[in-house]
Structures are given as structure tokens and as C-alpha cells.
């Protein structure tokens, strides 16, 4: 899968995608993540990516031309399944969205900034608008990082044990059961006996019950 991220702050994302699982996925050739600086597609000498809004409101709006040039350039090289815009007024991102996006070949994510982007970009170039939650960030970069991380880790082979993506929180609308590692007792705090029993059927039952109990207690909305 290939993800092209369009931003005015590529440095914000560079480090994130060069670490841990995201770096591993790219090195293994399972995911390609390309950062594009929108400023590179300006033609004026000040490399302006924003301008004052028509109508006299406060704030700056991202200009249409550099973004259109960049998207047109990318589209001339390959077909894209989605051109996503990160925005607090988009549809809410969740595990289901991550699952479906992880099946796509080529995706563009445009990070918004300032007061927004010229609305014509949303009308003519964007196929999907996604929010990562009901709060406002200073820009879409963190939203693009959150979405890309949760999408890429679902690509088969990215996690060393594929099972671990299948047993994630939210995969069955259930929260994951608690996990423990050695030592089996620390300061008198014990790991549940059943996990040391070696009886897989009992362990599976216990884990399922724990998932149900935690979901009922912490996220009852998921069971509706
Ligand atoms: N840009 C600013 N806030 C955002 C949010 N909550 N989700 C996605 N993009 C954003």
C-alpha cells in the first residue's frame, strides 16, 4: 500500500514515520509512505501556501493552486482510491475505517491548516473527509499520523504476529482482555492463576469474559 501525505510541515512527520513499526513496514516493502511539501508546488517568490479569506473573516486559508498542482502531479503517476482531507468536521475515524482503508492500494492524505482550505479543493479534489475526534488540532499532521499508523499496522506482515492485530481492541467491538508478563508475582501482586494453568480452553474463556466485562464497564456503547 502507498500513502502520500500532503503537508506544509513535512518535518513534523518525518521522525514519526522513520521509527518503530512504520519504519519496519517501509523497509519490508509492505508500505510506502511519501511526505510531500505543499510549498514545493508554489510558483511565487514567497512560496505562499495561504491567503486572506474572501468575505473578510479572520485567519488564513490554504490556497487552491499548490494543492491542486501537487494532487494533479500524483494522479498523473498512478490511480488513487481515496483523496482524504483531515478535518474536525469529517466523518469520525475508527477501527472499521482503518480496516477498510488498509485494503486500498493508493491513498492521498491532505493535512489541513490555519482556518481551513479553499472549499473548492474539498468540492472538486477530495473524496473523503475524516476527523480523528471531536476536538480541534492546530493542523491535520497528527491526524494523518494517527490514521496512517492504525492503517499500516493492519497490513498483513507488518506486525510480527498477525494474531495480535486480530485480537486488538475494537476488532470485535470488544475491548482487549488484560495482559501480563513475567514475573508471575511482583510485590505480592499476582498474575491471574488461570493464565499460568496451561489450559488453553480455560484461558480463552477467561479472556473472553474479561473482554466482555471491561467493555460493559468502560465502553457499554460498543455492545449496542
Ligand atoms: N484537523 C484539526 N483537527 C482535526 C481533527 N480532530 N481531526 C482531523 N483533522 C483535524
Amino acid at each position: 500500500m502507498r500513502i502520500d501525505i500532503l503537508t506544509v510541515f513535512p518535518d513534523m512527520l518525518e521522525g514519526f514515520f522513520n521509527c518503530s513499526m512504520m519504519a519496519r513496514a517501509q523497509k519490508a516493502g509492505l508500505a510506502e509512505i511519501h511526505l510531500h511539501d505543499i510549498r514545493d508546488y508554489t510558483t511565487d517568490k514567497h512560496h505562499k501556501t495561504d491567503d486572506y479569506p474572501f468575505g473578510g473573516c479572520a485567519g488564513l486559508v490554504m490556497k487552491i493552486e499548490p494543492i491542486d498542482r501537487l494532487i494533479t502531479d500524483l494522479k498523473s503517476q498512478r490511480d488513487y482510491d481515496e483523496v482524504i482531507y483531515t478535518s474536525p468536521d469529517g466523518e469520525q475515524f475508527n477501527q472499521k475505517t482503518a480496516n477498510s482503508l488498509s485494503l486500498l492500494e493508493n491513498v492521498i492524505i491532505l493535512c489541513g491548516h490555519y482556518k481551513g482550505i479553499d472549499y473548492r479543493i474539498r468540492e472538486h479534489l477530495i473524496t473523503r473527509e475524516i476527523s480523528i475526534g471531536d476536538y480541534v488540532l492546530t493542523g491535520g499532521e497528527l491526524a494523518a499520523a494517527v490514521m496512517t499508523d492504525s492503517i499500516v499496522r493492519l497490513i498483513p506482515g507488518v506486525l510480527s504476529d498477525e494474531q495480535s492485530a486480530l485480537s486488538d481492541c475494537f476488532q470485535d467491538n470488544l475491548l482487549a482482555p488484560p495482559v501480563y508478563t513475567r514475573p508471575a508475582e511482583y510485590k505480592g501482586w499476582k498474575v491471574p492463576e488461570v493464565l499460568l494453568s496451561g489450559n488453553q480452553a480455560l484461558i480463552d474463556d477467561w479472556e473472553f469474559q474479561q473482554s466482555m466485562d471491561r467493555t460493559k464497564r468502560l465502553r457499554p456503547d460498543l455492545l449496542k
Side-chain angles (χ1 to χ4, degrees):
M1 177 181 194
R2 176 182 168 120
I3 301 180
D4 290 274
I5 301 177
L6 285 41
T7 167
V8 281
F9 295 116
D11 293 352
M12 272 178 77
L13 296 171
E14 191 86 44
F16 178 74
F17 289 119
N18 284 328
C19 289
S20 184
M21 280 302 162
M22 296 301 106
R24 236 186 73 176
Q26 292 175 86
K27 278 193 196 116
L30 298 167
E32 276 186 50
I33 302 166
H34 297 269
L35 300 175
H36 303 273
D37 191 342
I38 295 169
R39 215 169 289 280
D40 293 342
Y41 287 77
T42 55
T43 51
D44 63 303
K45 71 173 181 200
H46 298 296
H47 302 292
K48 253 168 84 105
T49 55
D50 52 31
D51 209 339
Y52 294 101
F54 284 123
C57 326
L60 291 170
V61 174
M62 285 175 77
K63 288 170 70 59
I64 192 167
E65 304 97 312
I67 291 171
D68 180 40
R69 274 185 216 113
L70 174 44
I71 292 178
T72 304
D73 184 20
L74 290 171
K75 281 183 173 172
S76 72
Q77 297 168 51
R78 67 196 64 77
D79 289 333
Y80 282 90
D81 304 298
E82 295 281 13
V83 182
I84 296 168
Y85 173 54
T86 59
S87 176
D89 56 10
E91 64 176 284
Q92 174 100 41
F93 187 76
N94 57 27
Q95 191 62 40
K96 219 167 121 187
T97 327
N99 289 342
S100 65
L101 292 176
S102 75
L103 302 173
L104 303 180
E105 287 273 303
N106 299 309
V107 170
I108 290 174
I109 303 178
L110 168 63
C111 305
H113 245 273
Y114 314 111
K115 223 177 131 57
I117 57 173
D118 188 309
Y119 205 76
R120 288 166 291 184
I121 299 169
R122 298 172 72 163
E123 288 172 325
H124 298 284
L125 299 171
I126 298 299
T127 60
R128 204 158 170 185
E129 302 181 335
I130 301 183
S131 162
I132 59 162
D134 284 344
Y135 40 81
V136 180
L137 303 163
T138 52
E141 282 72 17
L142 288 174
V146 165
M147 290 195 287
T148 303
D149 183 291
S150 69
I151 293 165
V152 167
R153 66 188 288 287
L154 293 171
I155 297 171
V158 170
L159 298 183
S160 46
D161 174 5
E162 268 184 55
Q163 274 300 107
S164 59
L166 295 176
S167 58
D168 277 343
C169 269
F170 303 120
Q171 278 306 6
D172 316 309
N173 269 356
L174 286 180
L175 302 184
V179 291
Y180 302 86
T181 186
R182 287 178 286 188
E185 184 172 343
Y186 176 73
K187 289 185 174 176
W189 305 333
K190 291 185 180 152
V191 168
E193 203 70 43
V194 61
L195 295 178
L196 311 174
S197 69
N199 183 331
Q200 198 55 52
L202 275 185
I203 293 172
D204 290 346
D205 280 352
W206 179 85
E207 287 183 337
F208 179 71
Q209 205 46 58
Q210 288 287 321
S211 285
M212 286 297 281
D213 291 350
R214 295 190 73 236
T215 311
K216 271 186 209 153
R217 186 159 46 88
L218 302 169
R219 290 294 305 274
D221 55 298
L222 292 175
L223 296 171
K224 285 193 190 114

